[in-house]
Amino acid sequence: MTAAHGAGPGPGSRTSHPSRERILGRIRRALADVPSYERPADHPVPRDYLRTHGSRTPAESVDLLADNLSDYRATVHRTDTAGLPALLAELLARRGTRSVAVPPGLPGGWLTDAAVEPVVDSPSLSAGALDAVDSVVTGCALAIAETGTVILDGGPDQGRRRITLVPDHHVCVVRVADQVVDSVPQALERLSPARPLTWISGPSATSDIELDRVEGVHGPRTLEVVLLVEDDR
Amino acid sequence: MSRTYVGMPAFPRAAAVSAGDTTLRANLRTATHTIRAKRAEAVAELDDWDRLRAAGAAVKDRTLRHLDHYLLQLEENVTRAGGTVHWAADAAEANRIVTGLVQATGESEVVKVKSMVTQEIGLNDALERAGIRAYETDLAELIVQLGDDLPSHILVPAIHRGRSEIRDIFREHMADWGRPAPEGLTDRPADLAEAARLHLREKFLRAKVAVSGANFMVAETGTLVVVESEGNGRMCLTLPDTLISVVGIEKTVPTWRDLEIYLQLLPRSSTAERMNPYTSTWTGTTADDGPRAFHLVLLDNGRTDTLADQVGRQALRCIRCSACLNVCPVYERAGGHAYGSPYPGPIGAILTPQLRGLTSPLEESLPFASSLCGACYEVCPVAIDIPDVLVHLRERVVQGGETTIRGTRTVIKPAKGHTMERAMMRTTGWVLDHPAALRRGQRLAARARRALPRRLPGPGRAWSDTRDLPEVPPESFRDWWERTRGGDA
């Protein structure tokens, strides 16, 4: 094998490649029927589909989120700011958790009641070390009610993608006041494509055996979502 | 060396064998009927489904009509975000690029996310020839790999295997590839999934290089999207140091916002879920999170040839949901292997002959692997008119005509084996234009009806083998009408 295909990000491997020109040339010949004056935006795209499916009060949206999360076998809990540390402590204790992975920016106080050894995420925390960790507790960027989805964007209260993947138990806290949207279109407009995103809808699952859904393959097999109502500040 | 699609027989021969396999038919029937009802339910939840479908088709059409523009935009944005873009005109070139990239890391094994396109190009065999072992990590792909088998469904490559067969494959072959199956493994799906988790975990934790495909590539941001269920995708996309994604050029969508259409259409059409368990999006590389090196290999391999056909190009809208397979009466009975490519079912019947060209009896037979019932078109989330393309390709097979193969316009000759059919159609046309001849022929046939064979002799035999010839009535309608004028005889 030669380095002609640019095994590294070497300069020149991009623009001088003959296959690039060949493919672009083939595309242009294949599209001879497209008028040369046609701009991409000239081809119409009807966007008359709905922004949300149904209208709901904020409370109804949170209820729908809870229903849809439960439907895909996530466990849903509700609490307020004062009750959160005790709830988290209880969830971790019930699971028998001794070590818990946490993002560097987990809000202070969340784990004060829990008798666990926190393992703070950092670039030096290896996948092998994470494999020995029992649980992970994070916040999230957003949740979608209509699909029962929580979305992580690697923010300070979420950490790197691997910490919510390798441990078998994920507790994810959703601040209901400003993190719940109704629909997929509403979610996308609030997310930044520049950040690595993980959309999570229930625990890991598979439909690969006789096209029937079974929970639990490689990702966390237990997903607990805490819907947090914060005090007015 | 694993099995390949090279030298597969034409569809009717392969289907005649598979349709007689009662286990296969039972497995397929169970699976496709389960998912059919669920899909209908998931789709019915959205009362704007038809509008989403129209938008999904229109965005893909816009992209395809300006594919050069969007690919250049994509390349620029992936590069800006720290990725490296490679272009592969065909399978051999893509395999060379990926092999070289893996070798440059000094590693001799890779973990793989389920990817149709790497099946299409035969990447695992190419890597194996270079001494690199590729581990499939999707549960169904693992079943296929351990069983030295071929995939037979887009979403669930091992759909042809029932749970007890899967247990046997795990018990027998897991040890050859790493951690053996647990003692006393049962055929409960949850136990089988647990066995796969244990078997693959050690591979994920030590993997340095991963190979993936992608469901979507966003031109305006350079973002790639992988939609999955198990978490094996997340493992491959985030734990290794190097990520190599091989993606067909048609997977491009123009804008970030366009994902709002497909992330609603795909999961409901595919696994009948409101949303699949995991969706990952990434743009180039991110400091301290995920792979440090990201390579995108953009693959043509017949896609530009497909694009050149104004009727057939709509096949490139396909988002690989597999809804058309699950409703197809032909797929349900023949199974996926009979289609001789990683793309089985109705979409395969129009995609394979276009990607490869009408170059062998297999590709020539695929447009006929359909009853044209239209169920595939009804469920297609991007409104690909599969029956229309099938008829178009049949015409091309029977009559020959202009087509594009590897970027060159070529006139192909009518396929062999259809000479008889063409001659019969010409004769029939003439007879129907000449009433006197039709009458003489019908009377002759009525008189000789007892002596007529149930099968045609000689070259017509292949045609009558798969069809029941109609009973010849004792009297033609015309004679009956002349005799009775429609009154009781």
Side-chain angles (χ1 to χ4, degrees):
Chain A
M1 186 63 212
T2 68
H5 294 294
S13 64
R14 190 160 69 85
T15 45
S16 63
H17 198 287
S19 286
R20 180 180 187 267
E21 302 318 312
R22 187 178 309 136
I23 293 168
L24 290 170
R26 284 176 180 178
I27 291 170
R28 286 167 190 146
R29 284 195 299 281
L31 294 171
D33 60 301
V34 176
S36 57
Y37 54 81
E38 183 181 303
R39 304 270 71 88
D42 294 343
H43 186 82
V45 172
R47 293 198 194 258
D48 53 355
Y49 49 86
L50 302 172
R51 300 307 294 167
T52 63
H53 297 87
S55 69
R56 303 173 194 97
T57 64
E60 286 168 342
S61 295
V62 175
D63 289 345
L64 182 63
L65 172 66
D67 287 350
N68 284 336
L69 281 164
S70 308
D71 195 27
Y72 286 160
R73 312 280 163 79
T75 314
V76 180
H77 311 272
R78 293 172 186 252
T79 189
D80 55 19
T81 312
L84 184 64
L87 175 64
L88 291 177
E90 188 198 327
L91 297 181
L92 295 171
R94 204 186 289 163
R95 173 96 187 171
T97 291
R98 287 192 303 267
S99 59
V100 59
V102 294
L106 195 79
W110 280 18
L111 289 180
T112 44
D113 289 8
V116 291
E117 176 209 342
V119 178
V120 180
D121 181 34
S122 78
S124 59
L125 182 62
S126 71
L130 273 170
D131 196 35
V133 167
D134 301 313
S135 301
V136 55
V137 176
T138 68
C140 72
L142 216 56
I144 308 175
E146 287 182 6
T147 58
T149 304
V150 293
I151 301 174
L152 309 181
D153 71 355
D157 62 347
Q158 299 150 56
R160 295 179 306 156
R161 288 170 282 177
R162 59 176 56 190
I163 70 166
T164 52
L165 174 62
V166 179
D168 203 14
H169 176 222
H170 181 192
V171 181
C172 183
V173 178
V174 180
R175 297 174 172 90
V176 299
D178 57 356
Q179 290 190 321
V180 179
V181 298
D182 278 310
S183 66
V184 173
Q186 287 179 343
L188 277 162
E189 66 193 14
R190 284 181 53 173
L191 293 163
S192 165
R195 308 181 73 101
L197 301 182
T198 306
W199 296 36
I200 300 172
S201 308
S204 160
T206 183
S207 300
D208 280 358
I209 301 162
E210 300 175 1
L211 264 175
D212 212 2
R213 184 173 160 126
V214 185
E215 275 75 25
V217 198
H218 304 295
R221 287 180 288 189
T222 306
L223 173 67
E224 303 202 66
V225 177
V226 176
L227 301 177
L228 172 68
V229 178
E230 289 178 296
D231 304 335
D232 291 330
R233 270 169 292 177
Chain B
M1 183 80 31
S2 57
R3 290 175 57 194
T4 68
Y5 292 101
V6 177
M8 294 282 277
F11 183 85
R13 258 180 62 207
V17 176
S18 57
D21 181 338
T22 49
T23 312
L24 173 75
R25 286 186 57 168
N27 289 348
L28 282 175
R29 198 184 142 77
T30 311
T32 55
H33 286 243
T34 306
I35 195 76
R36 251 179 235 182
K38 287 194 203 162
R39 188 209 76 96
E41 254 174 65
V43 165
E45 273 187 17
L46 301 187
D47 43 19
D48 59 341
W49 186 258
D50 287 342
R51 282 170 276 170
L52 282 167
R53 185 176 184 243
V59 168
K60 284 283 184 176
D61 284 352
R62 175 187 282 181
T63 316
L64 292 170
R65 288 173 76 84
H66 299 277
L67 191 56
D68 51 340
H69 165 80
Y70 288 118
L71 286 174
L72 290 173
Q73 201 186 2
L74 175 75
E75 180 190 46
E76 191 185 326
N77 288 317
V78 169
T79 309
R80 182 179 300 147
T84 307
V85 178
H86 310 259
W87 300 70
D90 55 26
E93 189 176 16
N95 288 333
R96 266 201 315 277
I97 294 171
V98 177
T99 306
L101 290 169
V102 178
Q103 285 171 337
T105 65
E107 295 295 319
S108 60
E109 55 180 47
V110 302
V111 286
K112 280 186 71 201
V113 190
K114 175 174 162 325
S115 135
M116 302 302 301
V117 83
T118 58
Q119 289 279 0
E120 175 191 324
I121 63 177
L123 178 65
N124 291 7
D125 285 343
L127 290 174
E128 196 173 311
R129 281 193 294 274
I132 299 161
R133 197 157 220 206
Y135 294 111
E136 293 292 350
T137 65
D138 169 75
L139 178 53
E141 288 282 13
L142 176 71
I143 297 164
V144 167
Q145 186 173 48
L146 294 175
D148 191 19
D149 200 352
L150 287 170
S152 71
H153 188 274
I154 289 177
L155 171 70
V156 191
I159 195 172
H160 55 291
R161 300 289 197 183
R163 58 185 72 187
S164 59
E165 290 173 272
I166 297 170
R167 178 202 54 204
D168 296 344
I169 290 169
F170 279 11
R171 276 185 182 168
E172 214 167 304
H173 298 292
M174 265 188 172
D176 307 341
W177 290 80
R179 182 174 173 149
E183 283 292 316
L185 179 65
T186 74
D187 65 359
R188 276 183 55 226
D191 290 350
L192 296 171
E194 164 81 13
R197 179 184 172 96
L198 294 170
H199 178 75
L200 289 171
R201 176 76 38 154
E202 58 178 25
K203 295 187 168 59
F204 289 134
L205 295 181
R206 70 163 188 251
K208 296 277 181 266
V209 184
V211 175
S212 84
N215 294 93
F216 307 101
M217 305 187 285
V218 181
E220 74 167 353
T221 60
T223 307
L224 271 76
V225 182
V226 163
V227 168
E228 53 135 354
S229 298
E230 296 170 13
N232 65 307
R234 293 179 66 193
M235 292 277 180
C236 294
L237 299 172
T238 52
L239 296 186
D241 295 331
T242 301
L243 171 62
I244 304 165
S245 300
V246 185
V247 190
I249 51 176
E250 83 285 13
K251 294 293 179 97
T252 314
V253 297
T255 68
W256 176 250
R257 185 188 173 189
D258 294 328
L259 293 176
E260 72 189 19
I261 302 167
Y262 300 106
L263 291 180
Q264 296 192 76
L265 289 172
L266 179 55
R268 290 176 197 261
S269 299
S270 187
T271 45
E273 291 165 312
R274 291 184 198 100
M275 191 60 80
N276 48 289
Y278 298 131
T279 297
S280 297
T281 76
W282 72 97
T283 305
T285 53
T286 306
D288 296 331
D289 186 0
R292 283 186 297 233
F294 168 55
H295 295 274
L296 172 60
V297 181
L298 294 172
L299 179 74
D300 178 354
N301 205 36
R303 284 157 178 78
T304 51
D305 296 342
T306 310
L307 190 64
D309 186 318
Q310 290 176 43
V311 178
R313 70 166 61 130
Q314 58 182 304
L316 297 176
R317 287 184 202 149
C318 177
I319 55 174
R320 312 282 189 264
C321 72
S322 71
C324 64
L325 280 64
N326 298 336
V327 297
C328 178
V330 176
Y331 175 83
E332 185 187 329
R333 287 160 182 84
H337 292 153
Y339 294 81
S341 110
Y343 307 109
I347 187 63
I350 63 170
L351 204 51
T352 306
Q354 296 199 90
L355 290 178
R356 294 186 189 161
L358 295 165
T359 47
S360 87
L362 169 68
E363 287 83 37
E364 287 168 350
S365 72
L366 285 175
F368 297 87
S370 166
S371 64
L372 300 181
C373 77
C376 48
Y377 173 55
E378 299 256 310
V379 297
C380 177
V382 286
I384 301 169
D385 192 341
I386 294 177
D388 193 42
V389 181
L390 285 167
V391 170
H392 169 73
L393 292 174
R394 286 180 185 187
E395 194 180 300
R396 180 64 34 80
V397 172
V398 173
Q399 296 183 353
E402 198 177 77
T403 184
T404 309
I405 297 178
R406 297 293 171 252
T408 310
R409 295 236 168 204
T410 318
V411 175
I412 55 167
K413 282 192 249 165
K416 287 195 195 100
H418 294 273
T419 328
M420 184 73 180
E421 196 172 334
R422 267 197 315 282
M424 277 172 58
M425 287 299 167
R426 269 201 303 275
T427 313
T428 310
W430 184 86
V431 170
L432 291 174
D433 273 347
H434 297 79
L438 177 63
R439 169 169 313 192
R440 277 199 302 278
Q442 283 177 333
R443 283 185 181 155
L444 191 66
R447 242 173 271 139
R449 60 194 276 265
R450 307 249 170 251
L452 286 177
R454 305 297 303 150
R455 281 175 154 193
L456 296 176
R461 172 123 183 232
W463 195 82
S464 61
D465 267 355
T466 50
R467 290 166 177 88
D468 292 325
L469 294 182
E471 290 271 351
V472 179
E475 186 179 29
S476 74
F477 172 80
R478 292 151 60 99
D479 284 350
W480 172 81
W481 180 262
E482 228 165 56
R483 192 162 55 78
T484 66
R485 291 287 148 190
D488 290 330

